Amino acid sequence: MSELLSDHDLVAADARRNLRVFLAAPSLRLTGPADGVFSLALRGRVTAMREALLDAGVSVFSAHHDDVWVTRGMGTGTRVPSAFRAMQSADLAFAYIGSPLSAGVGMELGWATALRKPVVLLVDQAVSHAPIIQTLEEVSPVLPLEFDTHWSAEALRHAVVTALDWADLSVSYPESA
C-alpha cells in the first residue's frame, strides 16, 4: 500500500499542469435513467475519473459534477455559462466511451473535434463503437486508451498520467492541419 501512496504522491508533485480538461461522460442532464446509459456503476466510474484528474493537478470541467472549472486544493472557479463554453476554453477533452454511446458524449466529442482539441478516449476494445468514434482521428489528435475493465485505481492513474503527458505534447506542439 505504501508503494501505491508514493506513486500517488509522485503524480501529485510532478503533475501541477496548467491544463484544463473537459471530462466528457454521460450526464443525467442529457440522458435519463430510463435510457439505460447512466447507471450507478457508471456514476462511480465518472467520479473516479474526475478525482484522478484532480489528483494529477489539472483543472477539470465535468457537467456531471459541477458547472465550474475545479482544481484540487484551490476551490472552485467561476460558473461556466454552458458546457460548450467550457469546451471552448479546454485544452483537452477526456472522454469515457461507453456502450451504447451517449448522445451527450457524442455531442461533446463533436464540439472537441470542431474546435480541434486533442481528445483522449477511454475505450473498451471489446466493444464496437459508433462511426463517429472510429473517425475522430481524421479531424483532431486522438489518443485511444484501452481501459482496465475492472477500473482499478492503478489503471486509472496510469491512464490519466499517460493522457496528460500526451496532452502536454499535443498542446505545446499542435499538429498542422
Side-chain angles (χ1 to χ4, degrees):
M1 185 76 161
S2 63
E3 192 174 285
L4 184 62
L5 291 176
S6 64
D7 285 348
H8 174 73
D9 293 340
L10 279 174
V11 169
D14 182 47
R16 290 292 157 215
R17 302 170 196 254
N18 193 21
L19 287 176
R20 287 182 155 202
V21 179
F22 186 104
L23 180 56
S27 172
L28 285 176
R29 293 179 184 165
L30 298 174
T31 61
D35 70 6
V37 173
F38 203 86
S39 64
L40 288 177
L42 179 55
R43 181 188 312 259
R45 290 175 179 176
V46 172
T47 298
M49 288 183 345
R50 178 179 175 267
E51 292 297 313
L53 287 163
L54 290 170
D55 288 346
V58 298
S59 295
V60 178
F61 179 86
S62 169
H64 175 66
H65 295 91
D66 312 293
D67 61 358
V68 298
W69 285 100
V70 176
T71 305
R72 171 105 50 233
M74 303 208 34
T76 59
T78 57
R79 185 179 177 285
V80 178
S82 69
F84 178 70
R85 291 284 177 95
M87 182 64 80
Q88 286 178 309
S89 64
D91 299 304
L92 171 70
F94 196 95
Y96 169 69
I97 306 302
S99 180
L101 177 65
S102 152
V105 172
M107 180 180 66
E108 291 165 344
L109 289 173
W111 295 341
T113 55
L115 295 167
R116 303 282 197 250
K117 303 288 182 180
V119 176
V120 173
L121 301 174
L122 286 180
V123 298
D124 175 0
Q125 294 300 330
V127 176
S128 177
H129 297 289
I132 187 175
I133 300 306
Q134 297 170 358
T135 59
L136 288 176
E137 292 178 54
E138 296 175 16
V139 182
S140 287
V142 175
L143 176 65
L145 294 174
E146 185 172 355
F147 197 70
D148 174 358
T149 56
H150 299 291
W151 289 76
S152 69
E154 182 179 337
L156 183 55
R157 186 173 50 254
H158 175 73
V160 165
V161 170
T162 299
L164 295 177
D165 287 347
W166 174 81
D168 282 340
L169 293 173
S170 295
V171 171
S172 299
Y173 305 102
E175 294 179 14
S176 51

